[in-house]
Amino acid sequence: MPMQLLDGKFLSAQIKQEIAAEVAQIREQGGKIPHLVAILVGTLGRSETYVASKMKSCEEVGMKSTLIRFDDTVTEEELLNAVRDVNNNPDMDGLIVQLPLPDHISADKVMETIHPAKDVDGFHPINIGRMAKGLPAYISATPQGILEMLKRYDIKTAGKHCVVVGRSQIVGLPMAILMQRNTYPGNCTVTITHSRTQNLPDICRSADILIAALGRPEFITADMVKDGAVVIDVGLERVPDATKKSGFALKGDVKFDEVAPRTSYITPVPGGVGLMTICSLMQNTVKAARGEVYTGF
Ligand code: GUN
């Protein structure tokens, strides 16, 4: 079977249209316009880019968005108070605090302070726990975007061996939990691997679905991929490249040129998973505005 691209650009445009239509309908019916709030601490380049892109996407689909910025000298208590203010503001439906945070602030404490019903990133322990149990929950945006891709390309997952490389709280851990659930996409036999894993190439080679989320540019090479595998690349790193005007190229965790010919499906970088992430965040915010995930809070 020839290799097919899992085209995040195409899918995200399609999903954005769907969200825009839904928001337009809400507006016509006089309902609550979904409102996403992002808190950004400091001026880290990639965080600036991500947050700007999230805000712009909200605008494109007719949603409301607010960016709250702090210097990286902000105290933990000041930040927690800003989170509490958003929790208490009925006009604000969803809140994300962009990670990473400076070392003097506990990301766990911040995540736990976000009200679970506004936690559209799905990072609160209540949302992670509910997701693991298969209860209604906000699912973190990148894993949800990957599920959406698998679904829209009708990729069979039941009974397959899914290898997740990386155990981050944002991607690897939730991804592994989701892929083993008794639903579609899911019902995989899941192996979660990390920096201490022995025989990683052997394990990767046994994957029908390989999800690379370790944050090391071009780590996954052709010899680590089975013929016909589905390869999902979550990496997005800037690598110096003198041939580019910007001085850098964007690289995923997969050595695309040599891996792609072996696969049945593969995500490009850029133009793959990243664009899906933002769509999931907006879908979650629409659900938050509709009160669909949590009732009775
Ligand atoms: N940093 C990298 N990815 C993410 C994400 O999905 N959400 C937040 N809040 N921060 C991130």
Side-chain angles (χ1 to χ4, degrees):
M1 191 167 85
M3 179 273 285
Q4 203 182 336
L5 273 188
L6 295 169
D7 187 345
K9 212 165 164 179
F10 171 78
L11 283 189
S12 64
Q14 192 179 55
I15 296 169
K16 270 189 189 171
Q17 275 183 10
E18 293 167 10
I19 300 171
E22 196 172 344
V23 173
Q25 195 189 37
I26 294 173
R27 184 171 273 118
E28 267 166 35
Q29 294 169 347
K32 168 82 187 61
I33 300 298
H35 183 181
L36 174 67
V37 179
I39 295 182
L40 176 59
V41 179
T43 54
L44 191 67
R46 65 156 57 211
S47 292
E48 293 264 6
T49 310
Y50 287 152
V51 169
S53 169
K54 290 169 183 175
M55 301 286 98
K56 182 166 159 268
S57 298
C58 285
E59 216 171 279
E60 284 167 6
V61 301
M63 283 170 46
K64 211 169 149 186
S65 64
T66 299
L67 173 58
I68 301 173
R69 301 193 65 129
F70 288 100
D71 279 348
D72 52 17
T73 52
V74 66
T75 66
E76 189 176 83
E77 198 48 35
E78 282 169 326
L79 187 59
L80 294 178
N81 280 332
V83 169
R84 292 179 188 118
D85 285 346
V86 175
N87 286 345
N88 293 327
N89 186 331
D91 182 55
M92 296 175 161
D93 303 299
L95 169 62
I96 61 164
V97 177
Q98 189 66 25
L99 302 176
L101 290 169
D103 289 344
H104 65 278
I105 296 173
S106 158
D108 281 331
K109 222 182 229 181
V110 173
M111 298 302 120
E112 288 196 47
T113 303
I114 297 174
H115 194 290
K118 296 197 177 190
D119 170 40
V120 287
D121 252 336
F123 293 166
H124 192 290
I126 287 185
N127 276 313
I128 296 172
R130 289 176 67 103
M131 172 202 62
K133 282 176 70 79
L135 295 170
Y138 292 110
I139 294 172
S140 63
T142 299
Q144 187 175 306
I146 293 169
L147 294 183
E148 196 71 37
M149 262 185 154
L150 295 171
K151 209 187 291 180
R152 292 191 185 222
Y153 277 89
D154 197 25
I155 291 172
K156 305 283 175 283
T157 58
K160 305 286 185 191
H161 185 203
C162 175
V163 173
V164 180
V165 187
R167 59 181 156 188
S168 72
Q169 304 237 343
I170 294 181
V171 183
L173 176 69
M175 197 73 239
I177 293 170
L178 290 162
M179 292 303 279
Q180 59 76 46
R181 293 198 308 186
N182 183 9
T183 180
Y184 176 75
N187 277 313
C188 286
T189 303
V190 177
T191 301
I192 181 157
T193 69
H194 45 76
S195 53
R196 302 287 180 91
T197 296
Q198 292 180 351
N199 304 326
L200 183 64
D202 282 345
I203 296 169
C204 289
R205 254 192 309 276
S206 73
D208 301 304
I209 301 171
L210 180 63
I211 302 178
L214 69 160
R216 284 176 62 180
E218 302 191 315
F219 181 85
I220 304 288
T221 46
D223 60 304
M224 297 167 80
V225 176
K226 174 158 89 176
D227 279 331
V230 176
V231 175
I232 309 282
D233 188 351
V234 184
L236 186 66
E237 297 288 332
R238 291 177 177 193
V239 175
D241 184 340
T243 69
K244 299 269 190 251
K245 214 165 69 181
S246 59
F248 63 84
L250 289 172
K251 295 280 183 198
D253 288 348
V254 176
K255 204 161 189 178
F256 184 89
D257 290 347
E258 63 173 56
V259 170
R262 302 201 80 143
T263 64
S264 54
Y265 295 90
I266 186 167
T267 59
V269 173
V273 170
L275 298 168
M276 302 299 291
T277 297
I278 296 181
C279 287
S280 306
L281 189 61
M282 292 193 292
Q283 286 171 323
N284 281 350
T285 306
V286 172
K287 285 185 197 159
R290 287 189 185 279
E292 271 177 18
V293 175
Y294 285 93
T295 49
F297 265 107

